[in-house]
Amino acid sequence: MMKQTLTISIQDYLKHIYELTDDGKPASTNALAERLKIKPASVTGMVQKLASAKPALVEYQKHQGVTLTKEGERAALEVIRHHRLLEAWLVQTLGYSWDEVHDEAERLEHVISEDFERRIAAAMGHPLRDPHGEPIPTADLKMPLEDSTPLSAFRPNQTGVVQSVKSADDDLLRYLEALGITPGAQFEVKDYSSYDHNLTMKIGKKTSVLGLNITSKIFVEES
Amino acid sequence: MMKQTLTISIQDYLKHIYELTDDGKPASTNALAERLKIKPASVTGMVQKLASAKPALVEYQKHQGVTLTKEGERAALEVIRHHRLLEAWLVQTLGYSWDEVHDEAERLEHVISEDFERRIAAAMGHPLRDPHGEPIPTADLKMPLEDSTPLSAFRPNQTGVVQSVKSADDDLLRYLEALGITPGAQFEVKDYSSYDHNLTMKIGKKTSVLGLNITSKIFVEES
DNA sequence: ATAATAATTTAGGTAAGACTAAATTATTAT
DNA sequence: ATAATAATTTAGTCTTACCTAAATTATTAT
């Protein structure tokens, strides 16, 4: 089959900037480029355009990285709402598993109408979280605030409940599911190795040892 | 909001060529251009590319119009299957009405995966027709053959049942629905004016007079 | 402080897919 | 048959969003 020019949508730029700036710091050109799988030079060019659009979608200063303006954030939250509602809905109505939904939602999120968004939100009773436990921005585009901490910060004898898993890696998601680590699961930390930062945890009847690369992607609430 | 280059997808070219060639004759450059809302010169350019792609998607000779190759037809039927399954599914699961589904399906059809296609088809029990009564290409991409005739060919005292309405005009669709003219509806032709080709028909308790511009878009089976 | 390295931007290039205007070919009416 | 008109194609232009390579600026190590 013939291939056609595919270009990264503005929505995608904004969505990734949103995610990269959730630590409060501007997103670097390189980090954005890596996420979008294009070269840094191309990011510079597009970011300059987004900054000089009216209304401006991003704030940008040479060598300082980018942040979203009010407008840009609105647009980002709109796509994120689409994405997370779609994930929830693919799981609830079409039997997708949490490791299968990401790619499908990734493509659908850009083309659904506001009407479609309202319909699926209503059909599901306006869910607050997606299948990975991530909060769904509200219809008026406010992101609910999170009060969970990474599992990596937990130490032996602490117990908690899994709130969300921040990863689009299907292999990891399947692995965690097999271990019983899904949103809502209760656990207790049994051991911690200060040498390699591995955590030993008990979930239900299973005991698992997880490395930092994993525990830093699992967000939990103490209980 | 900033706008981005939007380019007509190959799938859209093929879909429209498919529709324009259903009378057996090649699609003209002008007709295609009008449908795609671009200039004829641009169509010529793209059609030449589609013809010299390997494998070729269309057959093309200067001034003679375009037809689809086997490959091109497969691709067209794939999108049409997507479109019609989506229409059926939007109506069945999200309460869309038949005049609302077209635009939404038009955008979704290009981005859904084969997996998604299979899931909605299965969820609906592999429907044979979309909400407008149009046949849905099968999973192996065969278009079921139609044996219906346009209502415009009917004359007084003939009775029949509406099979499909070929139109994406929401106003017309709403109008027809109000008259009871939807797939499955039974009717009887009461009168015909050879002067203006108006048909007077009885559907349920309603009697309506329809012009040729409408009766030529309604396909029926005698009964 | 300086040198080495890393990150970013600039400048210039390319390909795709639209456009316009001019040239050509086909069709229709007389 | 010829002229007028309509349809189509060609040629050349523009814009967008990517690219590479070179230049610049920032950061880090000594």
Side-chain angles (χ1 to χ4, degrees):
Chain A
M1 185 62 174
M2 219 178 129
K3 84 165 81 162
Q4 215 164 359
T5 313
L6 52 67
T7 212
I8 296 163
S9 71
I10 291 176
Q11 292 183 337
D12 266 332
Y13 274 94
L14 299 176
K15 186 176 68 164
H16 284 104
I17 294 169
Y18 183 90
E19 287 165 0
L20 287 169
T21 51
D22 78 344
D23 60 355
K25 288 193 261 286
S28 77
T29 303
N30 264 3
L32 242 183
E34 194 186 0
R35 286 227 182 190
L36 298 171
K37 290 171 183 155
I38 58 177
K39 302 298 173 210
S42 307
V43 168
T44 301
M46 181 54 98
V47 144
Q48 287 171 342
K49 233 173 248 179
L50 295 174
S52 56
K54 347 173 250 211
L57 296 166
V58 304
E59 193 115 10
Y60 167 70
Q61 281 175 238
K62 282 188 187 186
H63 301 101
Q64 304 309 129
V66 252
T67 55
L68 295 175
T69 59
K70 272 272 138 49
E71 282 294 330
E73 184 173 300
R74 266 189 74 83
L77 287 172
E78 184 72 55
V79 206
I80 293 171
R81 177 168 161 84
H82 285 183
H83 184 92
R84 295 184 181 171
L85 280 174
L86 281 163
E87 286 201 345
W89 183 73
L90 290 169
V91 166
Q92 285 185 31
T93 75
L94 289 175
Y96 276 78
S97 54
W98 77 335
D99 54 291
E100 294 173 323
V101 285
H102 185 79
D103 292 357
E104 196 80 54
E106 193 84 356
R107 281 172 287 111
L108 291 169
E109 66 189 13
H110 304 294
V111 303
I112 66 172
S113 66
E114 293 308 287
D115 185 29
F116 185 96
E117 175 199 307
R118 277 191 294 273
R119 284 177 197 254
I120 63 174
M124 293 186 290
H126 304 281
L128 300 175
R129 294 180 174 276
D130 76 10
H132 305 98
E134 304 246 49
I136 300 174
T138 56
D140 62 342
L141 302 182
K142 307 289 180 214
M143 179 68 92
L145 17 76
E146 280 285 53
D147 53 6
S148 57
T149 42
L151 177 54
S152 53
F154 270 46
R155 291 297 172 265
N157 294 319
Q158 279 188 288
T159 61
V161 54
V162 175
Q163 188 135 99
S164 66
V165 177
K166 288 206 171 94
S167 172
D169 174 348
D170 0 337
D171 287 331
L172 174 59
L173 291 172
R174 272 191 297 276
Y175 175 63
L176 290 177
E177 185 164 39
L179 299 182
I181 303 182
T182 53
Q186 286 197 285
F187 66 89
E188 181 181 354
V189 176
K190 290 297 193 182
D191 191 39
Y192 169 68
S193 153
S194 62
Y195 176 61
D196 55 13
H197 305 286
N198 283 353
L199 280 176
T200 305
M201 349 231 326
K202 199 167 170 215
I203 307 101
K205 285 165 187 157
K206 290 199 182 72
T207 297
S208 320
V209 181
L210 302 176
L212 186 57
N213 59 332
I214 293 181
T215 55
S216 62
K217 291 172 183 163
I218 299 171
F219 292 79
V220 301
E221 252 190 323
E222 186 154 19
S223 70
Chain B
M1 187 62 175
M2 218 178 131
K3 85 166 81 162
Q4 215 164 358
T5 313
L6 52 68
T7 211
I8 296 164
S9 71
I10 291 176
Q11 292 183 337
D12 266 332
Y13 273 95
L14 299 177
K15 186 177 68 164
H16 283 104
I17 294 168
Y18 183 90
E19 287 164 1
L20 286 169
T21 52
D22 78 344
D23 60 356
K25 288 193 260 289
S28 76
T29 302
N30 264 4
L32 242 182
E34 194 186 0
R35 286 228 182 192
L36 298 170
K37 289 171 183 156
I38 58 177
K39 302 298 173 211
S42 307
V43 168
T44 301
M46 181 53 102
V47 144
Q48 288 171 340
K49 232 173 249 179
L50 295 174
S52 57
K54 352 173 245 212
L57 296 167
V58 304
E59 193 114 10
Y60 167 69
Q61 281 175 240
K62 284 188 185 187
H63 301 104
Q64 305 310 128
V66 252
T67 55
L68 295 176
T69 60
K70 272 272 138 51
E71 281 293 330
E73 184 173 298
R74 263 190 75 83
L77 286 171
E78 184 72 56
V79 207
I80 293 170
R81 177 168 161 84
H82 285 182
H83 184 91
R84 294 184 181 171
L85 279 173
L86 281 164
E87 286 200 346
W89 183 73
L90 290 169
V91 166
Q92 285 186 30
T93 74
L94 289 175
Y96 276 77
S97 55
W98 78 334
D99 55 291
E100 294 173 323
V101 286
H102 184 81
D103 292 358
E104 196 80 53
E106 193 84 356
R107 282 173 287 113
L108 291 168
E109 65 189 14
H110 304 294
V111 304
I112 66 172
S113 66
E114 292 309 287
D115 184 31
F116 185 96
E117 176 199 307
R118 277 191 294 273
R119 284 175 196 253
I120 63 173
M124 292 186 292
H126 304 282
L128 301 175
R129 294 180 174 277
D130 76 10
H132 305 98
E134 304 247 48
I136 300 174
T138 55
D140 62 343
L141 302 182
K142 309 288 181 216
M143 179 68 92
L145 17 76
E146 279 286 54
D147 54 5
S148 56
T149 42
L151 178 54
S152 53
F154 270 45
R155 291 296 172 265
N157 294 319
Q158 281 187 286
T159 61
V161 54
V162 175
Q163 189 136 97
S164 66
V165 177
K166 288 206 171 96
S167 171
D169 175 347
D170 359 336
D171 288 331
L172 174 58
L173 291 172
R174 272 191 296 276
Y175 175 62
L176 291 177
E177 184 163 40
L179 300 181
I181 303 183
T182 54
Q186 286 196 283
F187 66 88
E188 181 181 354
V189 177
K190 291 297 193 182
D191 191 38
Y192 168 68
S193 153
S194 62
Y195 175 62
D196 54 15
H197 304 286
N198 282 355
L199 280 176
T200 304
M201 350 230 326
K202 201 168 168 211
I203 306 103
K205 286 166 188 155
K206 290 197 182 74
T207 297
S208 319
V209 181
L210 303 175
L212 185 57
N213 60 331
I214 293 181
T215 56
S216 63
K217 291 172 184 163
I218 299 171
F219 292 78
V220 302
E221 252 192 321
E222 186 152 22
S223 69

